[in-house]
Amino acid sequence: MQPYELTLTAAAEAIRTRRLSPVELTDSVLERIAQREPDLHAYVSVAADRARSAARDAERDIAADRRRGPLHGIPAGLKDLIDVAGSATTASSRVRAGHRASTDSTVAARLARAGAVLLGKTHTHEFAYGLTTPQTHNAWDTDRVAGGSSGGSAVAVAAGMATFALGTDTGGSIRVPSALNGVVGLKPTYGLLPRRGVTSLSWSLDHVGPITRTVEDAALVLTALAGHDRRDPATLSAPAKDYRPRAGTDLTGLRVGVPRTYYFDHVDPETEEAVRRAIDQLRDLGARLVEVEIPMTRYVQAIQWGLMVPEATAYHEHTLRTVPDLYQADVRVLLEAGELMTAGDYLRAQRARTLMRQAWARMFTEVDLVAAPAVPATAVRAGQETITWADGSVESVSDAYVRLSSPANITGAPSLSLPVGHDSTGLPIGMQLLGRPLEEDVLLRAGHAYEQTRPASALAHAA
């Protein structure tokens, strides 16, 4: 096994025991980038010299017994919405050409404090306003979409071009590309990770989170990044916590909700079969399966778009009026649509969100988590605009991909996407676990237990 193939957990242990150096790991990942990036286009920019310098610094610190923790010396990619002092943050848009951050975002500063090695910035759908990241190709099949908007981060991790990466999630933008590329994506509770210095799409829906190869890896990153930031009024004052799941696979006593409605409607049969098989595996590990009715499903997309569209347009108001031609056509249309929405529309969406949060809180008195498909189908071919379901109905690709992920953004609940198999063409299938706010540890425990039952080959990244 080459160093770039290691999980974060395995690489951290190899570095701790001096069987691997940060320089060796970083060089291996950079060589992998040189090999695969021309086909995948996961990165906006790669700072190879800066990464090698940081790796050498980490190696010296560790040799002098100044190891900072499991992220020390680990190479990572950052979605190109996340500010790093002295580096460009373009949001994969011509609107931001030449923009350079003057200070670190909070999450970048915390990664630096933990000793992580920054490789570069990964592509996003322009300003995170889309679900495909069209410039990036799927790590398993370059003729298919990467998913978005954190497509570059998910592809980099899946292809061995980063040991872990950070993304953002407004309607599924961490979990969708993670599912489509066979990696783990965690959207934490709203406000658990600070967003200061992260370009916004929708203030009340945006989340920052990790994309990794395993659930344990995601827990390590979350532990390093979570915590209040007084400069971000949306962050929570939750106490610091070690999110690493305990060893073992016993889930006795855990109540797993299985949706009767919504999450298995208009889902590809192979996806449904793989996810239900994974849910049965949770039962075999001791969990109790409980059928649940998902509340307020008929309003999900209206609430999501009713909040996101006007908030995005408000954020882009100045540049939309001064340099509209610099936006990609699909993003510009959505931003212009936001100017047509009334204050009444927005306020009704806000009120409906409050009702939905209350209804979901009642649902979570019956179960500890809900298990469901992360996306209703595997990666579509690049340029494909619609999906036709078995009953003959047609749905746009964006609506299909966001439909199952956006409820966690509306409610602010944590959601973990993890791979549970492949379809008949070899494309990854993802399951998501949804839980109560600030109970990431419950999701990580269940996801880690399930993961331990899978053969090592099932956890391998894309070739």
Side-chain angles (χ1 to χ4, degrees):
M1 177 178 286
Q2 297 298 313
Y4 72 79
E5 299 177 273
L6 294 171
T7 66
L8 191 166
T9 303
E13 179 61 13
I15 288 173
R16 186 187 70 83
T17 57
R18 311 290 175 88
R19 291 178 288 112
L20 177 70
S21 79
V23 171
E24 290 170 333
L25 176 59
T26 300
D27 282 344
S28 178
V29 173
L30 288 171
E31 288 170 8
R32 181 66 171 173
I33 292 172
Q35 178 189 19
R36 298 293 285 128
E37 176 62 12
D39 295 326
L40 296 175
H41 305 296
Y43 281 92
V44 177
S45 59
V46 177
D49 291 342
R50 177 174 177 165
R52 289 192 174 97
S53 176
R56 288 192 296 269
D57 290 344
E59 186 168 284
R60 282 193 295 270
D61 285 344
I62 292 168
D65 291 326
R66 293 193 298 268
R67 183 171 178 267
R68 305 180 198 174
L71 301 192
H72 202 173
I74 303 295
L78 297 184
K79 186 176 182 177
D80 193 27
L81 300 179
I82 300 172
D83 281 352
V84 175
S87 297
T89 306
T90 72
S92 294
S93 176
R94 292 179 298 172
V95 175
R96 283 284 191 89
H99 172 80
R100 197 164 293 273
S102 58
T103 59
D104 282 343
S105 59
T106 302
V107 289
R110 290 179 180 177
L111 285 181
R113 190 169 65 226
V117 174
L118 174 61
L119 295 164
K121 296 294 193 69
T122 57
H123 269 301
T124 172
H125 202 118
E126 185 178 34
F127 283 106
Y129 214 168
L131 272 295
T132 60
T133 317
Q135 62 274 59
T136 303
H137 304 293
N138 189 281
W140 294 81
D141 181 346
T142 55
D143 290 332
R144 295 181 181 268
V145 298
S149 63
S150 304
S153 289
V155 169
V157 173
M161 299 194 299
T163 306
F164 74 94
L166 296 189
T168 65
D169 192 309
T170 305
S173 292
I174 287 172
R175 292 158 291 151
V176 170
S178 294
L180 299 186
N181 288 278
V183 291
V184 171
L186 174 63
K187 183 205 78 65
T189 301
Y190 181 79
L192 184 60
L193 267 62
R195 296 172 305 167
R196 186 191 65 83
V198 179
T199 302
S200 180
L201 172 58
S202 174
W203 294 290
S204 69
L205 297 170
D206 291 342
H207 302 65
V208 177
I211 297 175
T212 59
R213 298 207 185 111
T214 69
V215 173
E216 188 171 10
D217 291 356
L220 292 176
V221 180
L222 182 64
T223 298
L225 297 182
H228 180 68
D229 178 3
R230 60 180 177 78
R231 296 164 295 181
D232 180 356
T235 55
L236 303 174
S237 298
K241 184 186 291 189
D242 186 345
Y243 290 95
R244 286 175 291 188
R246 63 178 182 264
T249 60
D250 184 9
L251 297 180
T252 300
L254 189 73
R255 300 170 301 169
V256 175
V258 182
R260 281 193 292 263
T261 54
Y262 193 70
Y263 279 101
F264 288 102
D265 297 340
H266 286 151
V267 171
D268 176 80
E270 288 186 288
T271 296
E272 178 172 355
E273 180 183 359
V275 172
R276 290 195 183 276
R277 190 165 56 243
I279 293 172
D280 287 343
Q281 184 64 46
L282 296 177
R283 179 199 59 205
D284 293 344
L285 295 174
R288 179 162 65 91
L289 304 187
V290 181
E291 283 198 344
V292 292
E293 196 84 19
I294 306 298
M296 296 188 65
T297 56
R298 63 182 292 187
Y299 303 107
V300 166
Q301 288 188 299
I303 298 171
Q304 175 72 24
W305 291 103
L307 296 170
M308 182 174 65
V309 172
E311 289 184 0
T313 298
Y315 182 87
H316 288 271
E317 182 177 16
H318 175 70
T319 47
L320 182 62
R321 293 178 179 176
T322 55
V323 288
D325 293 340
L326 295 183
Y327 288 94
Q328 296 296 321
D330 61 329
V331 172
R332 178 179 171 181
V333 166
L334 288 170
L335 291 173
E336 290 175 341
E339 295 188 313
L340 303 177
M341 296 188 71
T342 67
D345 294 332
Y346 181 65
L347 292 173
R348 280 186 286 272
Q350 290 278 23
R351 293 183 67 191
R353 170 166 54 190
T354 299
L355 295 174
M356 187 171 170
R357 282 176 171 166
Q358 293 169 344
W360 274 55
R362 290 191 294 271
M363 177 184 70
F364 276 115
T365 64
E366 303 173 10
V367 295
D368 300 304
L369 60 84
V370 170
V375 287
T378 53
V380 300
R381 294 195 177 277
Q384 181 177 332
E385 296 183 354
T386 60
I387 297 175
T388 302
W389 301 112
D391 63 1
S393 62
V394 178
E395 186 175 25
S396 74
V397 169
S398 290
D399 283 350
Y401 282 162
V402 78
R403 172 164 44 91
L404 304 187
S405 54
S406 61
N409 296 88
I410 295 169
T411 61
S415 178
L416 174 72
S417 174
L418 66 159
V420 294
H422 299 81
D423 68 11
S424 56
T425 68
L427 294 172
I429 295 170
M431 173 176 73
Q432 68 173 320
L433 305 177
L434 303 104
R436 287 184 284 264
L438 295 178
E439 293 194 4
E440 280 78 3
D441 51 339
V442 177
L443 304 186
L444 293 164
R445 173 193 167 205
H448 181 62
Y450 168 78
E451 203 172 61
Q452 301 316 295
T453 69
R454 302 185 66 206
S457 60
L459 301 177
H461 56 69

